[in-house]
Amino acid sequence: MALKIIRSGTLIGAGGTVKADLLIDGEKIAATGHALDVPDVEIIDASGKLVMPGGVDPHTHFDLPMFDTVSSDDHYTGHKAAAFGGTTTVLDFVPLDYPSMREAIDAWHAKADLNAAIDFGFHMNITRLDDQVQSEIPRLVDEGITTLKVFMAYNNRLRLQDGEILKVMRIGAEHGMLTMLHAENGDVIEVLTAETLAAGYTEPIWHAYSRQAWGAVESVLRGIALAEQATSSLYIVHVNTAGGLDQIDYGRARGLPVMGETCPQYLFFTEEHLRRPDGAKWVCSPPLRTADDNDALWLGLENGGLQALGTDHCAFFFDGTRAIEYEGEWIAIPGKELGVDDFSKIPNGLPGVGDRLPILWSYGVGEGRITPNQFVALTSTNPAKIFGLYPRKGALLPGSDADIVIWDPDRPLKYGVAHAHHRTDYNLYEGWELVGFPEKVFLRGHLIVDGEEWLGQRGMGRFLKRKPGAEAI
Ligand code: URP
Ligand code: ZN
Ligand code: ZN
């Protein structure tokens, strides 16, 4: 049935809350209002429930080759996990591991298009800068790719020099594109990693010690200074330190179009987790820091200093020698055990795409740190605006895609790997008590998650061609 009414729910938007009905016509939201009366319509009762726009996760890495393996969620399994957690749009990074950008983009479409189960877009990693790449960047706009990620770390692999980053920012700004920055100091990391390993320190905690907090702090400021000189807007990805957030505050206080994203892992976990026998589960770059950093980042979400909560979902198995069952098949993918004798060989990255909304709801809204409207802003509306998808995504407005989550705010759940749907063998939030969880999830009007039931399909997700010129918020 093409017409559906979600009846008597409480609609939560970034800007306000209203008890109302919501009419879906095909793939779009047609209207919201009180006691909508439409003939031949399917009624979905949402009384006592919240109705929110589907989550927009601006930061994922599906099917990403790393070291001698690949991230364990692909563009189907990751999308499915996202959907169960209330996210209906993801933006994934295209690695420039190919002779041309054309080949890189084609390769990522070949991985994603037939597998996608929710809507998706691409960011382009700019990890080398010769004349060819400089000439290819403006053409990305025709591909619907309007965002560029540059790296100050991962020497000899992904990192650009500061002058090159300045050039990328300039070209991007000229064409209405947004530069995203991985802010850590690659040179210092290279020295500390070599020294640490030479001294025989191999455990996961040394991953964090070789990537110092001050390296991230000065890199954030350096990135902001470069963006100012390039007249570019800037989005700092995965902010992990209080000091990094201070630098964003500094830039924004001076009117610069600088924005920041943090991720759930930086709100809850610290270096102490890396000291555990299973510490490799928490190895990501930049690393987890201290409880003071957790607190400061929460404050950033609360007071608007940070504009978005992404996940940086880049899942690996903890023990990739042991198969898990996924959709009736047994699968094992080499993972964190690759670094059992050397922290620098642990594939870096964490699962999280399905956890983001439920965890932020219970520990953000549930604990009174943010309002339901801030929840929607941080996880959906703001990322949609920053990345040129609003109001098609991130809104419950007439004309928006009918990407909708009916949220049960009272559902208690002991969370963990059994609920998360990620294709990996662990979950960071194992055993955490949640209150509030998605009940039904719609992608462009199609019901894709109904409680525990998966109704979505491989290939139903659409590539989102984005337009340049999105305003910084
Ligand atoms: O450890 C992480 N974050 N892996 C993904 C790559 C990146 O730098 O975002
Ligand atoms: Zn990064
Ligand atoms: Zn990332």
Side-chain angles (χ1 to χ4, degrees):
M1 201 178 299
L3 292 175
K4 299 183 181 82
I5 287 180
I6 299 179
R7 180 78 86 204
S8 304
T10 300
L11 275 47
I12 315 273
T17 301
V18 61
K19 203 161 188 307
D21 298 341
L22 183 148
L23 175 66
I24 299 172
D25 185 355
E27 299 205 328
K28 298 284 182 187
I29 295 173
T32 57
H34 295 286
L36 292 177
D37 187 15
V38 179
D40 293 327
V41 70
E42 179 187 343
I43 303 285
I44 298 146
D45 179 26
S47 40
K49 305 286 165 21
L50 310 178
V51 179
M52 304 192 267
V56 176
D57 189 339
H59 193 151
T60 65
H61 302 278
F62 298 129
D63 205 356
L64 175 70
M66 189 188 292
F67 305 157
D68 289 330
T69 186
V70 64
S71 61
S72 64
D73 268 316
D74 64 21
H75 297 261
Y76 170 69
T77 68
H79 286 198
K80 179 177 166 183
F84 269 104
T87 288
T88 48
T89 299
V90 284
L91 299 176
D92 204 73
F93 292 81
V94 179
L96 192 48
D97 296 342
Y98 301 83
S100 70
M101 244 180 238
R102 172 78 274 141
E103 287 158 281
I105 296 164
D106 288 348
W108 231 245
H109 276 298
K111 282 173 182 271
D113 292 359
L114 295 178
N115 283 316
I118 58 173
D119 288 356
F120 66 103
F122 291 156
H123 310 291
M124 189 75 217
N125 283 356
I126 307 297
T127 51
R128 61 174 190 269
L129 196 70
D130 49 26
D131 289 347
Q132 182 189 325
V133 170
Q134 291 191 49
S135 68
E136 287 172 319
I137 292 174
R139 286 185 235 143
L140 288 170
V141 171
D142 301 329
E143 303 287 333
I145 301 175
T146 55
T147 37
L148 312 167
K149 183 178 178 190
V150 292
F151 298 79
M152 288 178 164
Y154 303 120
N155 282 15
N156 308 314
R157 209 151 59 90
L158 305 174
R159 184 239 172 122
L160 293 186
Q161 301 299 320
D162 290 352
E164 295 174 316
I165 291 175
L166 179 87
K167 285 186 187 172
V168 172
M169 288 172 166
R170 271 194 199 142
I171 301 169
E174 257 171 52
H175 295 88
M177 303 165 100
L178 172 65
T179 297
M180 309 166 75
L181 176 68
H182 180 123
E184 290 187 287
N185 188 312
D187 286 348
V188 176
I189 291 167
E190 191 176 347
V191 170
L192 296 185
T193 303
E195 287 176 357
T196 304
L197 289 172
Y201 300 120
T202 59
E203 295 84 6
I205 183 64
W206 296 95
H207 174 83
Y209 287 170
S210 61
R211 311 179 84 93
Q212 292 283 314
W214 276 102
V217 176
E218 67 83 6
S219 299
V220 172
L221 181 60
R222 190 153 37 98
I224 294 170
L226 291 171
E228 196 281 335
Q229 293 167 85
T231 327
S232 171
S233 12
L234 180 65
Y235 179 88
I236 310 285
V237 292
H238 46 48
V239 176
N240 68 327
T241 62
L245 174 56
D246 288 344
Q247 309 314 307
I248 294 172
D249 286 343
Y250 180 86
R252 287 175 71 87
R254 279 150 190 80
L256 299 179
V258 181
M259 297 164 282
E261 157 202 280
T262 192
C263 312
Q265 54 267 31
Y266 301 119
L267 301 172
F268 297 103
F269 305 111
T270 68
E271 290 172 8
E272 291 311 307
H273 290 85
L274 296 166
R275 293 182 197 281
R276 292 169 41 145
D278 59 350
K281 287 178 180 171
W282 281 271
V283 168
C284 59
S285 302
L288 309 171
R289 302 268 63 134
T290 67
D292 285 348
D293 293 294
N294 299 159
D295 291 345
L297 295 170
W298 269 116
L299 214 56
L301 294 178
E302 288 160 34
N303 67 18
L306 293 166
Q307 291 69 47
L309 187 79
T311 58
D312 197 6
H313 178 93
C314 189
F316 295 96
F317 279 52
F318 173 59
D319 181 356
T321 66
R322 291 156 67 103
I324 61 165
E325 196 178 351
Y326 187 89
E327 291 193 345
E329 310 258 325
W330 289 91
I331 182 158
I333 302 172
K336 302 279 187 181
E337 77 283 357
L338 294 174
V340 70
D341 297 321
D342 176 349
F343 68 82
S344 72
K345 295 197 168 68
I346 302 171
N348 52 286
L350 307 181
V353 73
D355 308 329
R356 181 179 66 133
L357 270 63
I359 294 293
L360 186 69
W361 182 269
S362 284
Y363 292 89
V365 179
E367 302 213 338
R369 285 163 157 152
I370 55 170
T371 66
N373 308 102
Q374 285 177 300
F375 172 85
V376 169
L378 290 163
T379 59
S380 179
T381 308
N382 288 357
K385 286 182 175 171
I386 293 167
F387 294 104
L389 292 167
Y390 187 85
R392 178 172 172 191
K393 304 293 187 187
L396 296 178
L397 295 172
S400 297
D401 281 356
D403 295 350
I404 294 163
V405 183
I406 300 181
W407 191 274
D408 181 349
D410 301 318
R411 179 174 168 198
L413 180 67
K414 199 179 179 89
Y415 195 61
V417 72
H419 294 281
H421 294 275
H422 303 136
R423 192 169 64 178
T424 183
D425 58 351
Y426 76 101
N427 185 270
L428 297 173
Y429 309 94
E430 195 63 51
W432 287 33
E433 300 287 352
L434 306 186
V435 181
F437 208 73
E439 182 177 280
K440 290 186 194 302
V441 179
F442 296 85
L443 174 73
R444 284 181 275 99
H446 305 280
L447 183 62
I448 57 170
V449 172
D450 192 3
E452 294 300 315
E453 201 178 352
W454 173 236
L455 302 171
Q457 277 166 21
R458 207 184 272 278
M460 73 183 289
R462 284 199 198 130
F463 179 68
L464 298 164
K465 274 190 136 189
R466 295 179 290 130
K467 290 198 169 59
E471 295 286 323
I473 63 169

PDB file of all heavy atoms in Angstrom, residues 206-231:
ATOM      1  N   TRP A 206      50.262   0.439  24.066  1.00  0.00           N
ATOM      2  CA  TRP A 206      51.328   1.216  23.422  1.00  0.00           C
ATOM      3  C   TRP A 206      50.866   1.858  22.120  1.00  0.00           C
ATOM      4  O   TRP A 206      51.494   2.801  21.641  1.00  0.00           O
ATOM      5  CB  TRP A 206      52.577   0.336  23.222  1.00  0.00           C
ATOM      6  CG  TRP A 206      53.118  -0.070  24.561  1.00  0.00           C
ATOM      7  CD1 TRP A 206      52.865  -1.228  25.235  1.00  0.00           C
ATOM      8  CD2 TRP A 206      53.920   0.738  25.430  1.00  0.00           C
ATOM      9  NE1 TRP A 206      53.482  -1.208  26.468  1.00  0.00           N
ATOM     10  CE2 TRP A 206      54.142  -0.018  26.616  1.00  0.00           C
ATOM     11  CE3 TRP A 206      54.495   2.007  25.337  1.00  0.00           C
ATOM     12  CZ2 TRP A 206      54.889   0.468  27.680  1.00  0.00           C
ATOM     13  CZ3 TRP A 206      55.251   2.487  26.396  1.00  0.00           C
ATOM     14  CH2 TRP A 206      55.434   1.720  27.554  1.00  0.00           C
ATOM     15  N   HIS A 207      49.793   1.375  21.581  1.00  0.00           N
ATOM     16  CA  HIS A 207      49.176   2.057  20.435  1.00  0.00           C
ATOM     17  C   HIS A 207      48.795   3.484  20.864  1.00  0.00           C
ATOM     18  O   HIS A 207      49.068   4.459  20.161  1.00  0.00           O
ATOM     19  CB  HIS A 207      47.937   1.288  19.968  1.00  0.00           C
ATOM     20  CG  HIS A 207      47.154   1.977  18.889  1.00  0.00           C
ATOM     21  ND1 HIS A 207      47.465   1.907  17.558  1.00  0.00           N
ATOM     22  CD2 HIS A 207      46.061   2.779  18.955  1.00  0.00           C
ATOM     23  CE1 HIS A 207      46.616   2.608  16.850  1.00  0.00           C
ATOM     24  NE2 HIS A 207      45.745   3.163  17.675  1.00  0.00           N
ATOM     25  N   ALA A 208      48.190   3.593  22.060  1.00  0.00           N
ATOM     26  CA  ALA A 208      47.785   4.918  22.551  1.00  0.00           C
ATOM     27  C   ALA A 208      48.997   5.753  22.950  1.00  0.00           C
ATOM     28  O   ALA A 208      49.057   6.955  22.663  1.00  0.00           O
ATOM     29  CB  ALA A 208      46.835   4.766  23.733  1.00  0.00           C
ATOM     30  N   TYR A 209      49.982   5.116  23.585  1.00  0.00           N
ATOM     31  CA  TYR A 209      51.156   5.894  24.025  1.00  0.00           C
ATOM     32  C   TYR A 209      51.954   6.434  22.840  1.00  0.00           C
ATOM     33  O   TYR A 209      52.632   7.457  22.951  1.00  0.00           O
ATOM     34  CB  TYR A 209      52.060   5.026  24.900  1.00  0.00           C
ATOM     35  CG  TYR A 209      51.513   4.767  26.281  1.00  0.00           C
ATOM     36  CD1 TYR A 209      52.112   3.829  27.115  1.00  0.00           C
ATOM     37  CD2 TYR A 209      50.405   5.458  26.774  1.00  0.00           C
ATOM     38  CE1 TYR A 209      51.613   3.579  28.396  1.00  0.00           C
ATOM     39  CE2 TYR A 209      49.903   5.213  28.028  1.00  0.00           C
ATOM     40  CZ  TYR A 209      50.506   4.274  28.837  1.00  0.00           C
ATOM     41  OH  TYR A 209      50.009   4.036  30.086  1.00  0.00           O
ATOM     42  N   SER A 210      51.896   5.739  21.716  1.00  0.00           N
ATOM     43  CA  SER A 210      52.667   6.228  20.565  1.00  0.00           C
ATOM     44  C   SER A 210      51.866   7.244  19.742  1.00  0.00           C
ATOM     45  O   SER A 210      52.374   7.787  18.761  1.00  0.00           O
ATOM     46  CB  SER A 210      53.105   5.049  19.685  1.00  0.00           C
ATOM     47  OG  SER A 210      51.970   4.369  19.198  1.00  0.00           O
ATOM     48  N   ARG A 211      50.634   7.497  20.170  1.00  0.00           N
ATOM     49  CA  ARG A 211      49.808   8.512  19.481  1.00  0.00           C
ATOM     50  C   ARG A 211      49.302   9.464  20.555  1.00  0.00           C
ATOM     51  O   ARG A 211      48.175   9.350  21.027  1.00  0.00           O
ATOM     52  CB  ARG A 211      48.620   7.855  18.756  1.00  0.00           C
ATOM     53  CG  ARG A 211      48.983   6.665  17.889  1.00  0.00           C
ATOM     54  CD  ARG A 211      47.775   6.044  17.233  1.00  0.00           C
ATOM     55  NE  ARG A 211      47.426   6.752  16.011  1.00  0.00           N
ATOM     56  CZ  ARG A 211      47.839   6.423  14.800  1.00  0.00           C
ATOM     57  NH1 ARG A 211      48.600   5.358  14.633  1.00  0.00           N
ATOM     58  NH2 ARG A 211      47.484   7.138  13.754  1.00  0.00           N
ATOM     59  N   GLN A 212      50.137  10.414  20.924  1.00  0.00           N
ATOM     60  CA  GLN A 212      49.887  11.251  22.095  1.00  0.00           C
ATOM     61  C   GLN A 212      48.753  12.261  21.876  1.00  0.00           C
ATOM     62  O   GLN A 212      48.547  12.755  20.762  1.00  0.00           O
ATOM     63  CB  GLN A 212      51.169  12.015  22.442  1.00  0.00           C
ATOM     64  CG  GLN A 212      52.296  11.114  22.939  1.00  0.00           C
ATOM     65  CD  GLN A 212      52.096  10.683  24.381  1.00  0.00           C
ATOM     66  OE1 GLN A 212      51.775  11.509  25.220  1.00  0.00           O
ATOM     67  NE2 GLN A 212      52.252   9.400  24.650  1.00  0.00           N
ATOM     68  N   ALA A 213      48.078  12.590  22.978  1.00  0.00           N
ATOM     69  CA  ALA A 213      46.947  13.522  22.906  1.00  0.00           C
ATOM     70  C   ALA A 213      47.363  14.889  22.347  1.00  0.00           C
ATOM     71  O   ALA A 213      46.665  15.474  21.520  1.00  0.00           O
ATOM     72  CB  ALA A 213      46.324  13.690  24.290  1.00  0.00           C
ATOM     73  N   TRP A 214      48.529  15.372  22.793  1.00  0.00           N
ATOM     74  CA  TRP A 214      48.940  16.703  22.315  1.00  0.00           C
ATOM     75  C   TRP A 214      49.174  16.728  20.804  1.00  0.00           C
ATOM     76  O   TRP A 214      49.040  17.764  20.159  1.00  0.00           O
ATOM     77  CB  TRP A 214      50.199  17.184  23.055  1.00  0.00           C
ATOM     78  CG  TRP A 214      49.852  17.833  24.364  1.00  0.00           C
ATOM     79  CD1 TRP A 214      49.964  17.272  25.601  1.00  0.00           C
ATOM     80  CD2 TRP A 214      49.322  19.149  24.557  1.00  0.00           C
ATOM     81  NE1 TRP A 214      49.531  18.156  26.556  1.00  0.00           N
ATOM     82  CE2 TRP A 214      49.139  19.318  25.948  1.00  0.00           C
ATOM     83  CE3 TRP A 214      48.974  20.191  23.692  1.00  0.00           C
ATOM     84  CZ2 TRP A 214      48.621  20.493  26.493  1.00  0.00           C
ATOM     85  CZ3 TRP A 214      48.466  21.365  24.232  1.00  0.00           C
ATOM     86  CH2 TRP A 214      48.296  21.500  25.617  1.00  0.00           C
ATOM     87  N   GLY A 215      49.531  15.571  20.258  1.00  0.00           N
ATOM     88  CA  GLY A 215      49.691  15.485  18.802  1.00  0.00           C
ATOM     89  C   GLY A 215      48.364  15.740  18.098  1.00  0.00           C
ATOM     90  O   GLY A 215      48.316  16.377  17.038  1.00  0.00           O
ATOM     91  N   ALA A 216      47.283  15.246  18.706  1.00  0.00           N
ATOM     92  CA  ALA A 216      45.958  15.495  18.123  1.00  0.00           C
ATOM     93  C   ALA A 216      45.554  16.952  18.327  1.00  0.00           C
ATOM     94  O   ALA A 216      44.996  17.590  17.429  1.00  0.00           O
ATOM     95  CB  ALA A 216      44.930  14.562  18.750  1.00  0.00           C
ATOM     96  N   VAL A 217      45.874  17.485  19.513  1.00  0.00           N
ATOM     97  CA  VAL A 217      45.458  18.863  19.827  1.00  0.00           C
ATOM     98  C   VAL A 217      46.098  19.846  18.843  1.00  0.00           C
ATOM     99  O   VAL A 217      45.416  20.671  18.218  1.00  0.00           O
ATOM    100  CB  VAL A 217      45.838  19.218  21.279  1.00  0.00           C
ATOM    101  CG1 VAL A 217      45.489  20.674  21.581  1.00  0.00           C
ATOM    102  CG2 VAL A 217      45.152  18.272  22.265  1.00  0.00           C
ATOM    103  N   GLU A 218      47.424  19.731  18.687  1.00  0.00           N
ATOM    104  CA  GLU A 218      48.090  20.705  17.795  1.00  0.00           C
ATOM    105  C   GLU A 218      47.675  20.452  16.343  1.00  0.00           C
ATOM    106  O   GLU A 218      47.614  21.389  15.555  1.00  0.00           O
ATOM    107  CB  GLU A 218      49.604  20.717  17.982  1.00  0.00           C
ATOM    108  CG  GLU A 218      50.370  19.469  17.575  1.00  0.00           C
ATOM    109  CD  GLU A 218      50.699  19.391  16.102  1.00  0.00           C
ATOM    110  OE1 GLU A 218      50.439  20.346  15.369  1.00  0.00           O
ATOM    111  OE2 GLU A 218      51.191  18.309  15.684  1.00  0.00           O
ATOM    112  N   SER A 219      47.360  19.223  15.995  1.00  0.00           N
ATOM    113  CA  SER A 219      46.948  18.941  14.607  1.00  0.00           C
ATOM    114  C   SER A 219      45.581  19.542  14.309  1.00  0.00           C
ATOM    115  O   SER A 219      45.342  20.032  13.197  1.00  0.00           O
ATOM    116  CB  SER A 219      46.909  17.434  14.349  1.00  0.00           C
ATOM    117  OG  SER A 219      48.183  16.876  14.530  1.00  0.00           O
ATOM    118  N   VAL A 220      44.692  19.517  15.291  1.00  0.00           N
ATOM    119  CA  VAL A 220      43.385  20.160  15.073  1.00  0.00           C
ATOM    120  C   VAL A 220      43.598  21.650  14.829  1.00  0.00           C
ATOM    121  O   VAL A 220      43.071  22.225  13.865  1.00  0.00           O
ATOM    122  CB  VAL A 220      42.427  19.935  16.271  1.00  0.00           C
ATOM    123  CG1 VAL A 220      41.158  20.779  16.110  1.00  0.00           C
ATOM    124  CG2 VAL A 220      42.052  18.458  16.407  1.00  0.00           C
ATOM    125  N   LEU A 221      44.418  22.273  15.675  1.00  0.00           N
ATOM    126  CA  LEU A 221      44.645  23.719  15.499  1.00  0.00           C
ATOM    127  C   LEU A 221      45.333  23.999  14.158  1.00  0.00           C
ATOM    128  O   LEU A 221      44.971  24.955  13.456  1.00  0.00           O
ATOM    129  CB  LEU A 221      45.483  24.286  16.650  1.00  0.00           C
ATOM    130  CG  LEU A 221      45.730  25.796  16.551  1.00  0.00           C
ATOM    131  CD1 LEU A 221      44.417  26.577  16.560  1.00  0.00           C
ATOM    132  CD2 LEU A 221      46.638  26.289  17.666  1.00  0.00           C
ATOM    133  N   ARG A 222      46.303  23.145  13.805  1.00  0.00           N
ATOM    134  CA  ARG A 222      47.014  23.327  12.529  1.00  0.00           C
ATOM    135  C   ARG A 222      46.029  23.200  11.367  1.00  0.00           C
ATOM    136  O   ARG A 222      46.071  23.979  10.410  1.00  0.00           O
ATOM    137  CB  ARG A 222      48.123  22.261  12.442  1.00  0.00           C
ATOM    138  CG  ARG A 222      49.096  22.429  11.314  1.00  0.00           C
ATOM    139  CD  ARG A 222      50.470  21.813  11.646  1.00  0.00           C
ATOM    140  NE  ARG A 222      50.391  20.593  12.403  1.00  0.00           N
ATOM    141  CZ  ARG A 222      50.463  19.339  11.895  1.00  0.00           C
ATOM    142  NH1 ARG A 222      50.625  19.175  10.605  1.00  0.00           N
ATOM    143  NH2 ARG A 222      50.397  18.281  12.676  1.00  0.00           N
ATOM    144  N   GLY A 223      45.123  22.243  11.475  1.00  0.00           N
ATOM    145  CA  GLY A 223      44.117  22.076  10.420  1.00  0.00           C
ATOM    146  C   GLY A 223      43.222  23.303  10.296  1.00  0.00           C
ATOM    147  O   GLY A 223      42.905  23.752   9.190  1.00  0.00           O
ATOM    148  N   ILE A 224      42.838  23.841  11.438  1.00  0.00           N
ATOM    149  CA  ILE A 224      41.975  25.036  11.416  1.00  0.00           C
ATOM    150  C   ILE A 224      42.732  26.203  10.791  1.00  0.00           C
ATOM    151  O   ILE A 224      42.193  26.959   9.967  1.00  0.00           O
ATOM    152  CB  ILE A 224      41.497  25.376  12.842  1.00  0.00           C
ATOM    153  CG1 ILE A 224      40.566  24.260  13.351  1.00  0.00           C
ATOM    154  CG2 ILE A 224      40.785  26.736  12.871  1.00  0.00           C
ATOM    155  CD1 ILE A 224      40.225  24.351  14.825  1.00  0.00           C
ATOM    156  N   ALA A 225      44.017  26.333  11.161  1.00  0.00           N
ATOM    157  CA  ALA A 225      44.831  27.433  10.607  1.00  0.00           C
ATOM    158  C   ALA A 225      44.982  27.268   9.094  1.00  0.00           C
ATOM    159  O   ALA A 225      44.909  28.249   8.342  1.00  0.00           O
ATOM    160  CB  ALA A 225      46.201  27.445  11.286  1.00  0.00           C
ATOM    161  N   LEU A 226      45.178  26.043   8.646  1.00  0.00           N
ATOM    162  CA  LEU A 226      45.286  25.805   7.197  1.00  0.00           C
ATOM    163  C   LEU A 226      43.970  26.143   6.502  1.00  0.00           C
ATOM    164  O   LEU A 226      43.957  26.758   5.432  1.00  0.00           O
ATOM    165  CB  LEU A 226      45.662  24.347   6.928  1.00  0.00           C
ATOM    166  CG  LEU A 226      47.072  23.919   7.331  1.00  0.00           C
ATOM    167  CD1 LEU A 226      47.224  22.399   7.201  1.00  0.00           C
ATOM    168  CD2 LEU A 226      48.122  24.623   6.482  1.00  0.00           C
ATOM    169  N   ALA A 227      42.868  25.733   7.117  1.00  0.00           N
ATOM    170  CA  ALA A 227      41.552  26.001   6.497  1.00  0.00           C
ATOM    171  C   ALA A 227      41.314  27.507   6.391  1.00  0.00           C
ATOM    172  O   ALA A 227      40.786  27.992   5.378  1.00  0.00           O
ATOM    173  CB  ALA A 227      40.447  25.330   7.311  1.00  0.00           C
ATOM    174  N   GLU A 228      41.718  28.237   7.431  1.00  0.00           N
ATOM    175  CA  GLU A 228      41.526  29.695   7.385  1.00  0.00           C
ATOM    176  C   GLU A 228      42.316  30.283   6.226  1.00  0.00           C
ATOM    177  O   GLU A 228      41.821  31.131   5.480  1.00  0.00           O
ATOM    178  CB  GLU A 228      41.949  30.308   8.727  1.00  0.00           C
ATOM    179  CG  GLU A 228      41.457  31.742   8.947  1.00  0.00           C
ATOM    180  CD  GLU A 228      42.285  32.806   8.220  1.00  0.00           C
ATOM    181  OE1 GLU A 228      43.479  32.561   7.936  1.00  0.00           O
ATOM    182  OE2 GLU A 228      41.740  33.880   7.922  1.00  0.00           O
ATOM    183  N   GLN A 229      43.564  29.784   6.052  1.00  0.00           N
ATOM    184  CA  GLN A 229      44.417  30.326   4.985  1.00  0.00           C
ATOM    185  C   GLN A 229      43.954  29.879   3.602  1.00  0.00           C
ATOM    186  O   GLN A 229      44.276  30.513   2.595  1.00  0.00           O
ATOM    187  CB  GLN A 229      45.873  29.902   5.231  1.00  0.00           C
ATOM    188  CG  GLN A 229      46.444  30.567   6.484  1.00  0.00           C
ATOM    189  CD  GLN A 229      47.757  29.936   6.915  1.00  0.00           C
ATOM    190  OE1 GLN A 229      48.806  30.315   6.420  1.00  0.00           O
ATOM    191  NE2 GLN A 229      47.681  28.973   7.811  1.00  0.00           N
ATOM    192  N   ALA A 230      43.199  28.781   3.563  1.00  0.00           N
ATOM    193  CA  ALA A 230      42.676  28.301   2.276  1.00  0.00           C
ATOM    194  C   ALA A 230      41.250  28.801   2.018  1.00  0.00           C
ATOM    195  O   ALA A 230      40.654  28.470   0.998  1.00  0.00           O
ATOM    196  CB  ALA A 230      42.667  26.772   2.265  1.00  0.00           C
ATOM    197  N   THR A 231      40.724  29.593   2.958  1.00  0.00           N
ATOM    198  CA  THR A 231      39.321  30.042   2.897  1.00  0.00           C
ATOM    199  C   THR A 231      38.383  28.859   2.689  1.00  0.00           C
ATOM    200  O   THR A 231      37.498  28.857   1.828  1.00  0.00           O
ATOM    201  CB  THR A 231      39.107  31.090   1.769  1.00  0.00           C
ATOM    202  OG1 THR A 231      40.285  31.865   1.638  1.00  0.00           O
ATOM    203  CG2 THR A 231      37.948  32.009   2.080  1.00  0.00           C
TER     204      THR A 231
END
